[in-house]
Amino acid sequence: MTIVSNSSALFPAPGASGSKANSMTDMGADDFLTLMVAQLQHQDPTKPMDNTEFVAQLAQFSTSTGVQELNESFSGLSASLASSQMLQATDLVDRQVSTESNVGFLEAGTDENGEPVAALDATVALSGNRGGMLYVQDMTGQLVYSAALPAEATGDFQVRWGGTDANGERMSPGNYRISAETNVGGEVTSIPVYAHSRVQSVSINPATGSASLNLVDGSELSFAEIRNIF
């Protein structure tokens, strides 16, 4: 009978000729314990396994098992977060969101009397300043509308453009760029404007499980890009 005097004979090094043993990460608890008992039964009584080596093998198995359990926990957490994100995204349908962009979509519709209406909402970040001017340009850069902001306007001030130009003519639905200026220390200064867009639907990426918001202008938005929800 061949006596196994050390662990290297029972657990040959990876790549050793004729070795088909699974890696430690492929072992289950039963597999590991079976091999460990066999190793103890067949060791040379005159040369028992070194205590340090024995403890190292136990630690390796413990680490492998812990990593596997941790991966399973993270998988469960990931699925839970994806489900939660989907519920949050569904709740945003037909609501408006803003991003860092000042380009918004002019939506056209009808009121309760059947009269045509249009609107494009935005937030002007006046901070501690007051009043100023609001400008609306089409995507070619042509100015189509301008108006003075109320003198008492300050902080994050919400505005709505009704979709008409300086002559009162209705503009076509589509994307428009909104900008604003205010007087700071006697100088006219540009200030941030964040356009609002309506969420039309929600889609899920089957590869990642992440939710995306489909806006009314046909663009797609991730949760990370949302600045505010209205």
Side-chain angles (χ1 to χ4, degrees), residues 172-211:
S172 301
N175 286 327
Y176 291 84
R177 182 174 287 106
I178 304 179
S179 58
E181 294 177 339
T182 191
N183 191 303
V184 179
E187 295 185 3
V188 176
T189 304
S190 297
I191 51 178
V193 177
Y194 308 103
H196 303 179
S197 297
R198 184 172 62 85
V199 178
Q200 195 169 40
S201 63
V202 176
S203 60
I204 298 296
N205 185 325
T208 63
S210 60

Side-chain angles (χ1 to χ4, degrees), residues 89-216:
T90 303
D91 187 54
L92 293 179
V93 174
D94 280 335
R95 296 182 65 178
Q96 290 193 343
V97 296
S98 68
T99 66
E100 297 298 318
S101 174
N102 68 334
V103 175
F105 187 80
L106 175 66
E107 284 195 78
T110 56
D111 61 18
E112 61 275 10
N113 298 318
E115 297 294 325
V117 293
L120 194 168
D121 295 328
T123 298
V124 181
L126 285 163
S127 297
N129 304 303
R130 291 186 176 274
M133 289 293 298
L134 181 74
Y135 305 99
V136 179
Q137 297 170 282
D138 61 22
M139 297 310 291
T140 67
Q142 181 178 354
L143 182 66
V144 297
Y145 177 82
S146 64
L149 295 171
E152 67 276 9
T154 188
D156 282 351
F157 185 74
Q158 293 189 28
V159 297
R160 168 170 288 184
W161 174 48
T164 58
D165 63 13
N167 299 318
E169 298 293 329
R170 293 194 175 278
M171 303 297 296
S172 301
N175 286 327
Y176 291 84
R177 182 174 287 106
I178 304 179
S179 58
E181 294 177 339
T182 191
N183 191 303
V184 179
E187 295 185 3
V188 176
T189 304
S190 297
I191 51 178
V193 177
Y194 308 103
H196 303 179
S197 297
R198 184 172 62 85
V199 178
Q200 195 169 40
S201 63
V202 176
S203 60
I204 298 296
N205 185 325
T208 63
S210 60
S212 296
L213 307 178
N214 303 313
L215 304 182
V216 70

Side-chain angles (χ1 to χ4, degrees), residues 68-78:
Q68 182 178 359
E69 292 175 351
L70 187 61
N71 286 337
E72 291 174 354
S73 296
F74 274 122
S75 296
L77 177 61
S78 176

